[in-house]
Amino acid sequence: MDSLRHELARFIQSPAARHDPPRLYRRLLTEAPVLDLGRVTVVSGYDEIVTVLMHPGTVVDPAAVGIARPGTSRLAEVVARMLPLRDGADHSRLKRLATAAFSARRLDAIRGRITDTAERLLEPLLAAGSFDMVADFAVPLPVAVSCAILDIPEHDRHRVTGWAALVARSLLDPHAGPEETAAFDAEFEEFRDYVEELCARRAADPGDDLISKLTVARAAGKIDSDDLLAFVVMLLANGLETLTSGLAVAVWHSLTTPGALDLVRDRPETAEAVFDECQRLGSPVRASARALTGDVPVAGTVLPAGTVTLLLYAAANRDPRRFPDPDRFDPARAERRHLAFGHGPHHCLGAPLSLMAGGAVLRLLAAAGAERTVSTPLTEETAPWSEQFVFGGLRSLPILSPRRAVDPAPVAAPPPYGPGSGPGGRETVGAGAGAR
């Protein structure tokens, strides 16, 4: 067991030790779904994680067990008030305010805008013949999705993208020095002023967007200004990290799994299921931490009050007790309730939105495969995975999208197949969209 503890500790601390995550996950699930590392207990089994998440003594705020949150900037203070970092009745109260913005009716209303935006971003990239799926597409699309939820004018999206990146940097580097903290705060004040301008406009002319609803709630005394700002920050930050990682992971698995995009092209209604299965296999959010304010019995042991547990969602999503043949790509699985979007009270509010956006992207890529050979030159060995522990996406995902060669129309009796072509005159292609 000591060797497993050593391997897991290195996996958490060192990006170089994460070259083959599924192998470690299999070992954890077989030997120790609950493993004490001394300072923290790591829980990797599906049922075990659900037990921890649903226990009344489990909270997200580390201050509940005497651990201070990192970061001293004004932005860090607002981040600490985001919905995913609140507990109990406070969390329930705030979640009710946001739920309407993610209702089926609201999502249906913006579905067309999301698809149009994805198509507008993707078409010139595909036409260029090569691009980076992460930087050129998976970063700007989530910001556009968040802007649709907030009804932010399109001409402001470039500025908003910069502020979203600021929030993301702050989240990923909470231990910034004094100079960087001051720079964060100065730029964040510009963002705060912008949000207040939007609130003033929505107060005068309210709509069906989230900012309008939050402005009304603030006027009624249900939330304060920092709560309102934290909602906007949450949408931008969560979208930029989780959906960016989720899109990159989904495209990677779709391109490297034979037949995945063919399925979407032949049956477009399966796109969301394919995206969802990619989230299970790729787990863009690899893990999450919880503080324990009470003893939590799990798997024959007791996690003691006053400690912190690390929930390894990526391992649980490959737990064979929950998902038979867990390493196999199977969008038609009978059991699809994975943990890529969390579970319980903190299940991701934006999960339906992510599935909608992800499905739209896969349909567009699959359709492009009819005219282009869409592929990536990366392999498992060369894929540049994120060096962050929590977010398990790709730093970069180069895409090649040359147009398929078309044989010229024959002027005389042609041979059975054109030169260099497969049966029926179609070029034979490798993995990627359009491979048959």
Side-chain angles (χ1 to χ4, degrees):
M1 197 62 69
D2 285 345
S3 68
L4 181 56
R5 288 191 177 92
H6 177 71
E7 184 177 355
L8 179 57
R10 288 190 65 246
F11 178 83
I12 294 171
Q13 296 166 4
S14 171
R18 301 183 199 131
H19 62 280
D20 186 14
R23 187 195 63 78
L24 174 60
Y25 300 158
R26 286 191 292 271
R27 189 177 176 194
L28 285 168
L29 293 164
T30 300
E31 299 179 31
V34 179
L35 185 61
D36 182 5
L37 291 185
R39 297 179 60 185
V40 65
T41 300
V42 179
V43 183
S44 54
Y46 184 99
D47 289 340
E48 291 81 0
I49 287 179
V50 169
T51 297
V52 173
L53 288 173
M54 299 305 293
H55 193 278
T58 299
V59 298
V60 296
D61 187 358
V65 295
I67 300 174
R69 288 190 182 278
T72 58
S73 69
R74 184 72 186 96
L75 173 55
E77 293 175 8
V78 173
V79 164
R81 300 186 70 163
M82 292 196 315
L83 181 63
L85 303 178
R86 309 287 275 270
D87 286 302
D90 194 33
H91 174 265
S92 300
R93 172 181 63 86
L94 295 173
K95 192 168 187 177
R96 281 194 297 271
L97 287 173
T99 297
F102 293 92
S103 68
R105 181 183 64 82
R106 176 61 179 161
L107 294 184
D108 281 342
I110 65 171
R111 183 185 299 273
R113 290 173 61 184
I114 291 173
T115 301
D116 289 347
T117 300
E119 187 171 12
R120 193 163 62 249
L121 284 170
L122 193 58
E123 278 189 349
L125 297 175
L126 289 168
S130 65
F131 62 99
D132 184 345
M133 176 56 69
V134 176
D136 297 331
F137 184 83
V139 168
L141 182 64
V143 175
V145 169
S146 294
C147 287
I149 289 285
L150 298 167
D151 199 20
I152 289 176
E154 190 159 350
H155 61 263
D156 286 340
R157 290 186 182 176
H158 180 73
R159 296 170 68 198
V160 171
T161 299
W163 286 320
L166 168 76
V167 173
R169 290 199 311 273
S170 175
L171 288 172
L172 295 176
D173 185 20
H175 301 288
E179 290 186 6
E180 194 168 7
T181 295
F184 279 160
D185 282 344
E187 196 169 348
F188 186 60
E189 283 306 309
E190 294 180 16
F191 178 56
R192 176 190 286 277
D193 291 342
Y194 175 76
V195 172
E196 284 300 331
E197 289 174 14
L198 286 179
C199 289
R201 283 184 240 157
R202 303 298 156 79
D205 184 20
D208 192 34
D209 60 281
L210 183 57
I211 288 183
S212 292
K213 295 182 184 300
L214 294 174
T215 300
V216 170
R218 182 174 65 174
K222 295 180 180 179
I223 59 173
D224 61 23
S225 293
D226 279 351
D227 283 334
L228 188 154
L229 190 61
F231 267 112
V232 180
V233 167
M234 175 190 73
L235 275 177
L236 294 174
N238 276 11
L240 194 58
E241 286 303 325
T242 58
L243 184 52
T244 294
S245 297
L247 287 170
V249 160
V251 172
W252 164 259
H253 280 287
S254 297
L255 291 179
T256 56
T257 302
L261 284 184
D262 291 327
L263 171 64
V264 176
R265 186 176 66 248
D266 295 339
R267 297 176 54 201
E269 72 277 6
T270 66
E272 281 79 8
V274 169
F275 181 81
D276 199 40
E277 176 71 346
C278 291
Q279 303 309 287
R280 182 189 70 82
L281 285 170
S283 295
V285 179
R286 182 182 282 123
S288 180
R290 291 292 188 271
L292 307 181
T293 60
D295 292 345
V296 179
V298 56
T301 188
V302 175
L303 306 181
T307 62
V308 172
T309 182
L310 183 69
L311 308 178
L312 195 51
Y313 294 152
N317 284 338
R318 292 176 182 254
D319 191 334
R321 298 171 298 173
R322 186 74 179 187
F323 306 102
D325 196 5
D327 297 331
R328 181 169 58 90
F329 177 85
D330 180 10
R333 286 182 180 276
E335 178 54 75
R336 291 174 54 189
R337 290 174 295 177
H338 54 72
L339 300 178
F341 297 110
H343 182 87
H346 284 278
H347 183 268
C348 179
L349 194 62
L353 183 66
S354 294
L355 291 171
M356 178 196 297
V361 171
L362 294 185
R363 277 189 287 270
L364 290 170
L365 281 176
E371 297 180 348
R372 298 180 176 278
T373 302
V374 184
S375 64
T376 178
L378 296 181
T379 64
E380 290 282 355
E381 291 72 29
T382 61
W385 295 100
S386 169
E387 295 185 353
Q388 294 290 331
F389 173 68
V390 172
F391 296 106
L394 288 148
R395 300 194 307 277
S396 175
L397 177 54
I399 300 292
L400 304 177
S401 56
R403 186 172 288 277
R404 294 178 183 279
V406 178
D407 291 332
V411 293
Y417 307 125
S421 297
R426 172 175 291 185
E427 276 198 355
T428 304
V429 299
R436 305 297 294 177

